Amino acid sequence: MPTTILVNEKDSLGQPLDGFVRVTLLDVLSSGQTNYIPVAGEVVLVSGQTTLVLEPSGSERVSYLFEIFDYVPPVPNSRLVYSFTAQVPDSITPIALNDLKPSSIHRYNFDYRDWET
């Protein structure tokens, strides 16, 4: 069952951050009969907030890369505010993004050169 991650980001002045969150799965993640491949997705922050729904990765020891960007005038320019890697726990209760524990485990053992073109 997916885990809900609540994002609430503010700028250095305490104002809601105008920007987006990029989430990248760092290795193949197997959940039941489904395999998730490493891919990045972006979600816009509306008044500094958004909700992410991600497959738990803690039991598989796979991390996600979370990158927070803000928009720099003139839009659509953006800059990276901060980033970190973390495993997503299996939880039925929503978790705040800031409550995820940073992880150095990435499990880069998948060789993309083995893919046939």
Side-chain angles (χ1 to χ4, degrees), residues 82-95:
Y82 73 94
S83 67
F84 69 99
T85 58
Q87 294 177 354
V88 173
D90 189 0
S91 177
I92 58 173
T93 305
I95 300 170

Side-chain angles (χ1 to χ4, degrees), residues 11-54:
D11 65 16
S12 60
L13 299 174
Q15 300 299 313
L17 186 70
D18 291 327
F20 62 94
V21 179
R22 179 180 295 148
V23 180
T24 307
L25 181 61
L26 296 179
D27 202 348
V28 174
L29 173 64
S30 297
S31 179
Q33 299 285 345
T34 305
N35 289 323
Y36 299 90
I37 61 171
V39 67
E42 295 177 356
V43 181
V44 174
L45 291 166
V46 177
S47 295
Q49 298 182 348
T50 194
T51 301
L52 307 170
V53 179
L54 301 171

Side-chain angles (χ1 to χ4, degrees), residues 28 37-38 110-117:
V28 174
I37 61 171
F110 191 74
D111 191 346
Y112 297 97
R113 294 171 294 182
D114 291 340
W115 284 11
E116 293 183 20
T117 56

